[in-house]
Amino acid sequence: MKLSMAYAWSPGIHWFARRFAESLAPPHLGRVTLAYMNPKGYVSTKAQIHHAALFVGTHVFIGDGEVLFQHENGGKIKLDDFVVIHPDVIIENGADAGIRIGKHSSIHPWSQLRAQLSPIEIGSGVMLAAGCALYSYDHGIAGETPIRQQSLTSRGPIIVGDDAWLGTGATVLSGVRIGQGAVVGAGAVVTRDVPDYAIAVGNPARIVKYRNAAPPAPAT
C-alpha cells in the first residue's frame, strides 16, 4: 500500500496507483490510513469532485461516494490538514458562500454541508457523526408562490467551534454558532447559539447542562 500511495499523485498513473492501494486497504475506517502515507493525502477513485476553488491541506482523506460540488458563483472550499471526510458525504456551495473545515476534523457518512449566501466555518478537532445536516440558508416562504420559486434567505453563517461534537442526525440552521467543546445530541435541531462546553438536545435544541471541563488555557 505504501508503495502505491507513493505514486498516488504521479502524472499518468495516479488513478491506477490509488485504485491498487484501495484494493489492499481494509474497508471503512481502516482506509483512512492511506491518507497518512502521502502528504497529498488520499482521494477515493469513487469520489465526485466538481469544484474550481477547492483547497486541500496535507494528509486529507476523501472517501468513496464523496461529492464536492460548486454551484455558480460558489466560494472556496478549504479542507485543512488531516481532515477526514468519510464516504457518501455531500459538500456543496454557491452564491458566494464558502466552506472551511479545520485541522483534524472528521465528517462521518451521509452528512451534508450546504452553503448558500452565508459561509460554513468548522473549527479544528470537530466531529460530525453520521447524517448531520448543516444548511446556511433557507427558502423563502412568503405568499402563495411555490417554494421552489422562492428566493433563498439566510440569517448568517454557521460557525462550529474547535472540538465540538455533533451527534448522529443533528441539524444546524443558518445564523447559528456552536461553541468550543460543545456537544449537540443525536437528532437535535439547532436554531440558536450553543455556548462553549454546553450540551444541547432536542427539537428545537435546548441547553441541558455543561461539561465538567474548563476551557483550555491560552497558548503561550
Side-chain angles (χ1 to χ4, degrees):
M1 287 190 296
K2 289 183 178 180
L3 181 60
S4 297
M5 286 305 298
Y7 292 97
W9 297 98
S10 299
I13 63 171
H14 57 89
W15 188 92
F16 300 98
R18 280 185 284 144
R19 190 71 187 93
F20 186 66
E22 290 170 359
S23 70
L24 298 176
H28 192 41
L29 299 180
R31 192 168 287 183
V32 175
T33 57
L34 294 175
Y36 305 145
M37 297 178 185
N38 190 311
K40 292 187 177 180
Y42 164 82
V43 178
S44 169
T45 58
K46 298 177 182 177
Q48 302 177 64
I49 299 177
H50 177 83
H51 210 287
L54 174 63
F55 298 87
V56 179
T58 60
H59 299 290
V60 169
F61 176 89
I62 298 177
D64 294 348
E66 166 75 14
V67 176
L68 290 165
F69 185 80
Q70 182 184 36
H71 292 273
E72 185 177 358
N73 299 322
K76 297 178 182 178
I77 290 181
K78 184 178 181 183
L79 309 178
D80 287 345
D81 300 345
F82 294 98
V83 164
V84 174
I85 309 295
H86 289 287
D88 300 313
V89 171
I90 296 175
I91 300 176
E92 65 176 85
N93 65 324
D96 299 316
I99 297 174
R100 177 181 172 270
I101 303 176
K103 294 180 179 180
H104 296 282
S105 290
S106 59
I107 315 296
H108 281 254
W110 311 298
S111 291
Q112 299 188 27
L113 279 65
R114 299 178 185 259
Q116 299 272 4
L117 302 178
S118 298
I120 295 175
E121 294 278 345
I122 294 177
S124 298
V126 173
M127 297 186 297
L128 269 63
C132 288
L134 280 65
Y135 287 77
S136 68
Y137 66 96
D138 294 292
H139 283 281
I141 57 173
E144 298 179 357
T145 303
I147 295 296
R148 67 181 183 277
Q149 297 176 11
Q150 299 271 354
S151 298
L152 299 180
T153 64
S154 176
R155 296 187 299 140
I158 292 174
I159 299 174
V160 182
D162 296 347
D163 301 311
W165 175 30
L166 278 63
T168 300
T171 299
V172 183
L173 303 184
S174 68
V176 166
R177 179 189 181 275
I178 295 175
Q180 178 177 346
V183 174
V184 175
V189 178
V190 188
T191 60
R192 60 183 64 186
D193 291 355
V194 177
D196 293 353
Y197 295 94
I199 299 174
V201 301
N203 179 8
R206 66 191 188 284
I207 310 305
V208 292
K209 62 180 180 179
Y210 287 80
R211 295 174 57 198
N212 293 325
T220 56

